[in-house]
Amino acid sequence: MNFKKTIACAAAATLTAISLASVASAELVEIDDVLDANGLELLDSTSSSWMPIAYYDGTRPKIDPNKAVVDYGVDWSQAKSVEVVFSVSEGTREDWDGAFGGAVVVSSNSPTDATHNWPAYDFWGVTDEALEIDTYESAKSLKLEKIGDYTYQLVCPIDDTNSVVPDQQLVQIAIQDWSGVTWWTMDVVSMTVKDGSGNAIIAWDQAGKCSLSPVGAASATVDAAAEEAPAETAAPAAEDTAAAPAAGDTTAAVTSTKASPNTGIEDVAVVAGIAVVAAGTLFVAKKRK
C-alpha cells in the first residue's frame, strides 16, 4: 500500500471513530461538578469517571490546581470498604445488555509515599436472571450484585494495597467506566465508605453531595495553603495517573468530553479510542434487539 493510501485509510478510521463516539450515549451519567466557594472541585464527573475529592490539604498546587482544599474529619484508618450503587437510567433500559465494567479506585498520597497512588480493583458484567443477562467475568477483582430492578451494587475492599497512607496530602475515590460504546447510560446512585463493622463513615449521593460537612482545612483556599506548603517532593508525572487498560482490553473507555481528572490532559480517551480504531481493534457493543 502506498503512502497516500495509508494516509487515506488512517483518516477513514479516524472519521469512523468520531462517528461512533457521536452516535452512542455516554456510559456514566455526567452530573455537574460539585464546587466549593472558591469554584474548585469537590467532585469531578465525566462520562467515564465519577470522583469525589475525599481529602486534600492544598499543598500540591502545581499538580492539582483545580481541586478544593477539603477535610471531612474522617479517620481513614477505619475505612475498610467502598460500596457503590448503580442504576441503569430510565429511558435507556430497553437497550441494557449488561456490558458494563471498569474499576473502583481508592488513591492517596503523602509527601514521602506514593505507593498507593491510583490502585484499581476492576469489574466487568452482571448476572440478572430476570433480564436473561449473564455477562459477569469471574477473573475480575469485584462483582456487581443485583439489589433491585436495573440496580446493582459493587463492594470494593480497602486493604493493604489501597488503604489511605499516613500523613496524606490527597485522597480521591473514583469509579472508572471502561465500557466503551453503548446505547444505555448508568447513574451512580451513591458511594459509601464503611468501617469494619459496616457503618458508614462518609458517603456521596447521586448529585455528588457529601453526607458530612467539611472541617478544618476546608475553610482555607488553595492559594493560602500553597503559601505555607513545603517544597513538593513527588514528581508530577508519577501523581494521580490512572493505570491504562492492558493491550487488547476491549473494556477500555473510548469517549471523553472533559479533561482527565487525573492527568489534566484533554480528551486522552478520545485520542486513545481513535488510535484503537485505526489499528482495527475497536469492538462495538451491539444494540439489543
Side-chain angles (χ1 to χ4, degrees):
M1 181 180 292
N2 63 33
F3 180 74
K4 289 184 178 180
K5 288 184 178 180
T6 302
I7 295 298
C9 289
T14 298
L15 291 173
T16 300
I18 295 171
S19 176
L20 287 172
S22 66
V23 300
S25 298
E27 292 76 54
L28 294 181
V29 172
E30 187 172 345
I31 64 173
D32 291 336
D33 288 349
V34 180
L35 307 177
D36 72 355
N38 300 307
L40 299 172
E41 292 178 349
L42 292 165
L43 182 144
D44 180 89
S45 171
T46 72
S47 61
S48 59
S49 175
W50 200 92
M51 186 184 72
I53 311 301
Y55 175 84
Y56 178 41
D57 65 5
T59 57
R60 306 180 351 152
K62 293 181 180 179
I63 304 172
D64 301 296
N66 298 319
K67 293 173 184 175
V69 174
V70 65
D71 181 0
Y72 293 106
V74 172
D75 179 359
W76 292 104
S77 68
Q78 300 301 308
K80 300 301 178 183
S81 67
V82 179
E83 296 185 5
V84 185
V85 176
F86 301 93
S87 181
V88 183
S89 306
E90 292 187 25
T92 71
R93 293 179 175 181
E94 179 182 353
D95 297 313
W96 166 236
D97 58 5
F100 175 51
V104 177
V105 178
V106 181
S107 180
S108 61
N109 291 275
S110 81
T112 58
D113 190 348
T115 60
H116 288 197
N117 182 71
W118 216 255
Y121 274 78
D122 60 356
F123 66 96
W124 184 264
V126 299
T127 299
D128 192 327
E129 295 181 357
L131 298 177
E132 298 182 349
I133 291 174
D134 187 11
T135 54
Y136 167 62
E137 289 190 10
S138 60
K140 301 300 183 181
S141 304
L142 306 177
K143 182 178 182 180
L144 277 166
E145 300 284 355
K146 181 177 179 177
I147 60 173
D149 291 344
Y150 296 94
T151 304
Y152 309 91
Q153 179 174 271
L154 196 63
V155 180
C156 176
I158 296 178
D159 53 28
D160 291 342
T161 67
N162 64 346
S163 57
V164 174
V165 298
D167 301 320
Q168 64 273 5
Q169 291 174 300
L170 176 67
V171 180
Q172 301 174 113
I173 307 174
I175 291 296
Q176 290 186 300
D177 176 28
W178 300 341
S179 302
V181 180
T182 68
W183 286 264
W184 46 265
T185 58
M186 186 74 73
D187 291 282
V188 178
V189 176
S190 64
M191 175 187 284
T192 307
V193 180
K194 294 188 174 182
D195 63 17
S197 299
N199 301 309
I201 60 177
I202 189 171
W204 291 265
D205 64 16
Q206 190 166 344
K209 182 179 180 181
C210 187
S211 61
L212 301 178
S213 297
V215 298
S219 61
T221 66
V222 169
D223 290 339
E227 289 177 359
E228 301 178 1
E232 294 169 5
T233 58
E239 298 294 337
D240 306 320
T241 303
D249 186 351
T250 59
T251 65
V254 298
T255 60
S256 174
T257 57
K258 298 171 61 178
S260 163
N262 310 309
T263 65
I265 302 173
E266 292 187 359
D267 298 322
V268 171
V270 170
V271 174
I274 291 173
V276 169
V277 174
T281 58
L282 177 64
F283 291 83
V284 181
K286 293 183 179 180
K287 183 175 180 181
R288 291 182 64 200
K289 297 181 179 180

